[in-house]
């Protein structure tokens, strides 16, 4: 049931500064027009400045800019307090409570009109540009957006270097004045590095002031518009929006009436308020899919990690085999992962342990020729390799009650993917697939556009819409980072769109603090397919010469199922590794992925996170606690449990000698009886974690 209360306060014609408060009255946004007619805003929290006077404006191509010479025509205010229910999510009910102010502006000289809409929530402010229908601003080209964020101090920041093609970097933690993106090495072997710019960083950008206030700059509802990166003037602590350009340097092609995405600034002196915020989703349009019954949470295994660790390959014939074979025919290399037989092994494993699905990568032709060759027509998304029998695999899975998950690596050959999309979805429907994992590795083909430009934003959203029409769920990798659009298209169930666990298999990897930052950045915009659950942590297990490893303890891999929210979660390691640690694997088998409620108990970006969640359909709770490279002892109150109930708690924790580097597989499992009055002491090793399941006894 949707509860909604609108209160229109007043509409009038004014020219002086205007301000609105959050429902709690702790956060204040002020808006005014400068002497030159420039729209400006500022933000205060508990009467302290957070954002100093900052300009707002849009630069048009071939027309007078929308940055100055404005007057205020009217100011309107209203309040909204409603509750809505996500199809899948961290909680069953999401509260959307804010005060809104719309400033209607016009430029007397040009007669052009824009509206700036401000919303103030308890945990942050948001604003967007609205371009009403009008005579002389019909079809227009944005060549720049001049939205400033003038901060008031040299805050600590967790930042990613600006790169219009990828977010797959580790975070750097530094003062704003120390941000310098020169010489950043992605160390992932892909080498996109498509832009340089000393002081461009990505959003969401998480910061903390010396006084302990948490600030996050991000955006919501990026639809038909490019992604916003941020230019920094380090000594002034001043950020300005940097929209991702298209192939010829334009930023966005728009038709009025239309809107920009929301620019968001979250502010709180309690980190838990930021990490649990649903503000980004609240700023997106409600669900546009009528029948959402096909959107289901999923736990899955897959023919996947074995390729990342080098045990098998995506391709059938071995790289370059196609070019080198005298007769042009592919010859099997013997290392192909996605064979009918191997897939059946995974299906058996999934069925035996109660998993919903099996992902298979490398099932289709093209993998000999994709990476490095970057041919446009390399994948057709429908032709299996000779050793992969689609029908046989799907019949087998169906008989065992397991769903197959489709894989579409596009190699960023996007026009090619769009040409094949209908046929690719038809094949999925023919065989009963309900979910696809897509991928956008490499620069966009044909060259020119960026992953984060308007064209590609529209592509990802278009695929989600077409998938919805076909009752298909999408989990995209290497797409632009989500900004809450899965409220509108909840079949867009997850994305990677950040540096995932896979980097630990073949690069310097992700430092232990990585997973303590992602919930404050990437996950604010939507679920992340991080692919947790790696038990064989050191790659020397597969090849003695390898030194790569996951920067984790085994217990932390379990905790990630709770701390890294996604309604589709992979048990990413190999079945045989799970068989060897069957007692720890039990947690992955048990853990829920769709939730009635979530309680963030402890949080500090870059340091630690503890969250407890109650399953959507049932009475079980699960807790995940993770730490960075520092060991941590903490006591957790279990007052989130239902009173008057007894629970059996199974605690999966780091062993006494656990340490992510020297002894990552050292873990203990203990069982105890607890109630809502109990407190539990947790010990997390360096790079460690704790996972707990709570099952009511009665
Ligand atoms: C990168 C994706 O993140 C990964 O999951 C996938 O296996 C490879 N691309 C190949 O598509
Ligand atoms: Ca990836």
């Amino acid at each position: 049931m949707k509860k909604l209360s609108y209160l229109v306060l007043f509409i009038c014609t004014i020219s002086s500064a205007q301000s609105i408060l959050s429902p709690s009255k702790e956060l204040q946004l002020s808006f005014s027009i400068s002497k030159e007619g420039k729209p400006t805003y500022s933000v205060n929290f508990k009467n302290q400045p957070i954002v100093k006077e900052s300009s707002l404006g849009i630069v048009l191509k071939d027309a007078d800019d929308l940055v100055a010479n404005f007057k205020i025509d009217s100011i309107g205010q209203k309040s909204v307090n409603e509750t809505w229910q996500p199809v899948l999510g961290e909680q069953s009910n999401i509260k959307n409570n804010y005060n809104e102010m719309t400033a209607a502006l016009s430029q007397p000289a040009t007669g052009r009109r824009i509206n700036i809409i401000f919303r103030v929530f308890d945990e942050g402010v948001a604003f967007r540009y609205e371009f009403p229908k009008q005579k002389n601003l019909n079809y227009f080209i944005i060549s720049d957006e001049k939205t400033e964020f003038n901060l008031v101090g040299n805050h600590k920041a967790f930042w990613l270097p600006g790169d219009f093609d990828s977010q797959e970097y580790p975070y750097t933690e530094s003062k704003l004045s120390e941000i310098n993106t020169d010489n950043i090495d992605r160390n992932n072997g892909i080498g996109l590095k498509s832009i340089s710019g000393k002081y461009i960083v990505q959003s969401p950008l998480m910061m903390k002031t010396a006084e302990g206030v948490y600030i996050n700059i991000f955006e919501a509802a990026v639809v038909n518009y490019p992604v916003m990166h941020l230019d920094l003037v380090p000594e002034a602590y001043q950020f300005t929006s940097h929209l991702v350009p298209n192939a010829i340097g334009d930023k966005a092609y728009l038709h009025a009436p239309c809107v920009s995405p929301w620019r968001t600034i979250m502010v709180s002196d309690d980190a838990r308020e930021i990490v649990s915020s649903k503000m980004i989703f609240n700023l997106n349009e409600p669900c546009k899919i009528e029948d959402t019954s096909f959107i289901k949470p999923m736990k899955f295994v897959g023919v996947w990690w074995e390729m990342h660790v080098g045990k098998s390959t995506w391709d059938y014939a071995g790289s370059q085999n196609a070019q080198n074979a005298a007769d042009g025919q592919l010859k099997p290399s013997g290392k192909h992962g996605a064979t009918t037989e191997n897939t059946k092994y995974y299906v058996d494993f999934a069925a035996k342990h109660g998993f919903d699905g099996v992902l298979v990568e490398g099932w289709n032709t093209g993998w000999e020729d994709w990476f490095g060759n970057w041919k446009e027509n390399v994948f057709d998304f429908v032709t299996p390799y000779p050793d992969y029998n689609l029908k046989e695999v799907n019949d087998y899975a169906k008989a065992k009650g397991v769903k197959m998950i489709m894989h579409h690596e596009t190699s960023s050959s996007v026009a090619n993917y769009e040409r094949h999309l209908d046929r690719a979805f038809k094949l999925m429907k023919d065989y009963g697939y309900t979910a696809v994992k897509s991928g956008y590795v490499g620069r966009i083909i044909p060259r020119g556009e960026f992953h984060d430009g308007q064209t590609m934003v529209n592509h990802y959203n278009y695929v989600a819409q077409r998938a919805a029409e076909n009752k298909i769920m999408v989990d995209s990798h290497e797409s632009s980072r989500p900004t809450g659009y899965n409220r509108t298209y909840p079949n867009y169930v997850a994305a990677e769109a950040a540096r995932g666990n896979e980097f630990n298999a073949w690069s310097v990897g992700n430092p232990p603090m990585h997973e303590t930052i992602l919930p404050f950045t990437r996950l604010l915009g939507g679920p992340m397919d991080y692919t947790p659950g790696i038990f064989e942590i050191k790659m020397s297990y597969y090849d003695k010469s390898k030194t790569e490893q996951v920067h984790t303890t085994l217990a932390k891999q379990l905790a990630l199922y709770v701390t890294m929210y996604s309604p589709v979660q992979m048990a990413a390691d190999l079945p045989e590794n799970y068989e060897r640690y069957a007692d720890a694997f039990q947690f992955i088998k048990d853990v829920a992925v769709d939730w009635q409620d979530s309680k963030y108990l402890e949080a500090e970006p870059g340091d630690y996170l503890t969250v407890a969640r109650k399953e959507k359909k049932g009475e079980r709770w699960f807790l995940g606690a993770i730490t960075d490279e520092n060991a941590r002892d903490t006591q957790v109150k279990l007052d989130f449990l239902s009173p008057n109930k007894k629970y059996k708690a199974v605690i999966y924790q780091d062993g006494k000698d656990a340490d992510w580097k020297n002894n990552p597989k050292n873990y203990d499992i203990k069982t105890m009886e607890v109630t809502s009055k109990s407190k539990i002491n947790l010990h997390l090793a360096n790079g460690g974690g704790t996972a707990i399941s709570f099952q009511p006894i009665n």
Side-chain angles (χ1 to χ4, degrees), residues 523-690:
L523 279 112
L524 294 176
M528 176 169 180
D529 186 17
Y530 189 70
T531 62
I534 302 304
F535 283 8
E536 264 319 330
I537 287 163
K538 300 203 175 203
M539 297 307 118
S540 52
Y541 175 80
Y542 302 99
D543 172 347
K544 290 224 154 31
S545 69
K546 285 192 178 173
T547 55
E548 290 86 358
Q549 77 160 100
V550 190
H551 299 71
T552 185
T553 62
L554 190 147
K556 184 179 187 178
Q557 290 295 302
L558 301 179
L560 292 177
Y561 285 92
V562 191
T563 62
M564 206 70 93
Y565 167 67
S566 177
V568 288
Q569 288 279 22
M570 184 171 201
D573 209 336
L574 311 182
E576 52 269 37
N577 294 341
Y578 289 136
E579 307 273 17
R580 283 186 297 112
Y581 300 97
D583 55 354
F585 183 49
Q586 188 61 43
F587 182 81
I588 305 180
K589 289 167 62 169
D590 290 342
V591 71
V593 293
D594 189 26
W595 308 100
Q596 198 179 122
D597 202 3
S598 294
K599 304 263 186 219
Y600 286 85
L601 306 176
E602 308 176 294
E604 181 62 30
D607 290 344
Y608 56 83
L609 186 74
T610 306
V611 58
R613 305 190 195 269
K614 186 180 188 185
E615 64 183 329
K616 180 78 110 348
K617 293 179 185 146
E619 288 300 319
R620 292 179 307 162
W621 283 81
F622 295 87
L623 180 144
I626 58 167
T627 184
D628 61 1
E629 67 285 0
N630 300 308
R632 181 159 196 264
D633 287 284
T634 182
Q635 190 180 65
V636 180
K637 282 194 204 151
L638 304 184
D639 53 5
F640 51 84
L641 297 173
S642 301
N644 312 320
K645 260 199 168 72
K646 275 190 192 155
Y647 293 82
K648 175 183 152 195
V650 184
I651 305 172
Y652 303 76
Q653 62 189 10
D654 293 321
K656 198 161 56 56
D657 303 320
D659 171 284
W660 72 267
K661 199 167 176 42
N662 302 313
N663 199 2
K665 291 195 291 185
N666 183 223
Y667 64 91
D668 284 333
I669 302 175
K670 64 176 192 208
T671 301
M672 58 201 272
E673 216 177 276
V674 297
T675 69
S676 61
K677 296 211 172 73
S678 312
K679 293 172 185 165
I680 313 194
N681 294 324
L682 307 181
H683 169 73
L684 285 66
N686 306 331
T690 305

Side-chain angles (χ1 to χ4, degrees), residues 168 304 307-308 314 359 361 367 370 407-409 437-441 477-478 496 502 506 529 531:
E168 293 188 333
W304 183 73
M307 282 88 91
H308 285 272
W314 282 269
L359 165 76
E361 295 196 4
W367 290 87
W370 75 302
H407 184 233
H408 291 163
E409 173 55 63
K437 169 179 168 182
S438 57
Y440 296 88
V441 169
H477 281 222
E478 297 85 44
E496 188 188 42
E502 63 186 12
W506 34 255
D529 186 17
T531 62

